[in-house]
Amino acid sequence: MAYGNPDFELYRLPEEHRLLREAVRQLAEDKIAPRAAEIDETGEFPHDVHTALAKAGFNAVHIPEDYGGAGADSLATVIVIEEVARACAASSLIPAVNKLGTMPLLLCASEDLKKQVLPPVAAGEAMFSYALSEREAGSDAAAMRTRAERTEGGWLLNGTKCWITNAGVSTYYTVMAVTDPGAGARGISAFVVHKDDPGFSVGAKERKLGIKGSPTCEIYFEDCEIPADRIIGDPGTGFRTALRTLDHTRLTIGAQALGIAQAAIDASTAYVKQRRQFGQPIGDFQGVQFMLADMAMRTEASRQLVYAAAAKAERGEPDLTWVSAAAKVMASDTAMAVTTDAVQLFGGYGYTKDFPVERMMRDAKITQIYEGTNQINRMVMARNLLK
């Protein structure tokens, strides 16, 4: 390519991705946004939203065509989650957690296991959750105590997992458990548990600050027996699979954060145009304009990093761990700052539930915490730089 004749399409989404954004945005504005405040208020999982997403094929777009899915690439998946989060952060966890739960299978599972559990998720007949954390093994996930022991017919699980997103509404759960207690992280394996497996149960919902329409619960394994073919990959590879999964799915949290931040910018821009003080719209004041400019600038910079990271994930580039962590941290820190500024721009009204920005601020906070706190992700980035 000659430098005098640049291909400007390098910095523009392909047409199919732009059309996808339009389609998801239309569905989100029609079916999801009108429900967002009610979902937050009641704390009930939005089954109607799941149905609408599944009908349009947006509930698990990342699942390959071989298993009944759309086979969407990483960038397309990010766009879907971003646009749903722009309407309702809790609802965006439907496509996001379906990817989180199924990514270990796509990376490491046998073909038979993939064919067994992925088609129902692609069809919208089932959802998938991911179970790694425990009360005493959050950031230090390798310290987990949940055990899996071999039996004649398969595996017997005992233990407790916590902070499990969409627990109770999901059909399948990817579960990390210790199979070799003396081997540390190399003694952890990954399994698929079905909600109807004997010995599996779900605890009460956590009472949360935000994303209230997405249930978060503990899950319990009491002599929970699963068949031998439900192990993901070889024994002892589970922790490595978990880390590889997060390299791909931290991007989805970055996308969720982008959607929340963009929604706050949209609401704030509309508000400062119509809210009048001292005889003029408050958007005419330079202090307000500077706030809006910074909000939009940081969000767009975060978007470019998330999209670039998604492209790297699709290409399987070696620096995916670093860039995925960076995208998640930058986007989530941005979402928290932007939504806090949005509440400030709305003044006293922003502190009430009559306007959506207080919900957005509450929802934004979790993006700095789950799939690795931003402090842990900064450690990940630094260690990759110092290798």
Side-chain angles (χ1 to χ4, degrees), residues 47-123:
H47 291 281
D48 58 322
V49 170
H50 177 259
T51 298
L53 288 170
K55 185 176 180 180
F58 298 145
N59 59 305
V61 293
H62 68 286
I63 293 180
E65 293 178 356
D66 288 348
Y67 312 109
D73 60 35
S74 298
L75 181 54
T77 303
V78 160
I79 289 170
V80 170
I81 293 166
E82 177 188 0
E83 289 299 325
V84 176
R86 184 170 168 263
C88 173
S91 296
S92 70
L93 287 165
I94 295 171
V97 177
N98 273 337
K99 179 163 186 177
L100 176 62
T102 59
M103 198 69 213
L105 286 93
L106 294 173
L107 291 171
C108 300
S110 67
E111 276 300 307
D112 286 345
L113 184 56
K114 291 177 186 176
K115 291 176 180 178
Q116 177 184 344
V117 302
L118 293 179
V121 180

Side-chain angles (χ1 to χ4, degrees), residues 307-319:
Y307 286 12
K312 284 177 177 285
E314 199 61 28
R315 293 191 295 266
E317 295 195 10
D319 64 343

Side-chain angles (χ1 to χ4, degrees), residues 2 4 6 20 34-35 40 59 89 106 128 148 150 152 190 196 290 304 329 348 352 355 364:
L20 173 66
R35 291 267 289 118
D40 177 69
N59 59 305
L106 294 173
F128 232 109
R150 287 186 185 271
E152 288 187 7
D196 293 333
F290 282 7
Q304 296 305 314
V329 169
T352 72
F355 291 85

Side-chain angles (χ1 to χ4, degrees), residues 222-360:
E222 299 176 272
D223 289 336
C224 177
E225 191 164 5
I226 62 173
D229 64 357
R230 295 242 217 97
I231 190 169
I232 300 172
D234 295 326
T237 63
F239 195 71
R240 186 164 70 246
T241 298
L243 296 182
R244 289 181 63 196
T245 294
L246 294 176
D247 285 346
H248 289 268
T249 60
R250 281 178 176 138
L251 297 170
T252 67
I253 304 306
Q256 182 187 47
L258 286 178
I260 296 169
Q262 189 60 57
I265 292 169
D266 295 343
S268 299
T269 302
Y271 181 78
V272 302
K273 287 180 180 179
Q274 59 88 23
R275 172 66 171 167
R276 298 180 67 86
Q277 290 286 275
F278 306 101
Q280 58 186 309
I282 64 172
D284 289 350
F285 295 112
Q286 188 180 68
V288 169
Q289 293 175 356
F290 282 7
M291 288 178 71
L292 277 175
D294 284 343
M295 291 159 69
M297 176 179 64
R298 292 183 64 179
T299 300
E300 184 58 28
S302 298
R303 180 175 289 113
Q304 296 305 314
L305 182 55
V306 170
Y307 286 12
K312 284 177 177 285
E314 199 61 28
R315 293 191 295 266
E317 295 195 10
D319 64 343
L320 177 60
T321 297
W322 184 91
V323 75
S324 178
K328 188 266 189 189
V329 169
M330 184 172 180
S332 59
D333 282 351
T334 293
M336 196 68 244
V338 165
T339 55
T340 301
D341 281 348
V343 170
Q344 190 71 22
L345 287 172
F346 275 72
Y349 291 116
Y351 204 67
T352 72
K353 292 191 174 183
D354 296 329
F355 291 85
V357 289
E358 64 85 29
R359 181 186 78 244
M360 295 169 189

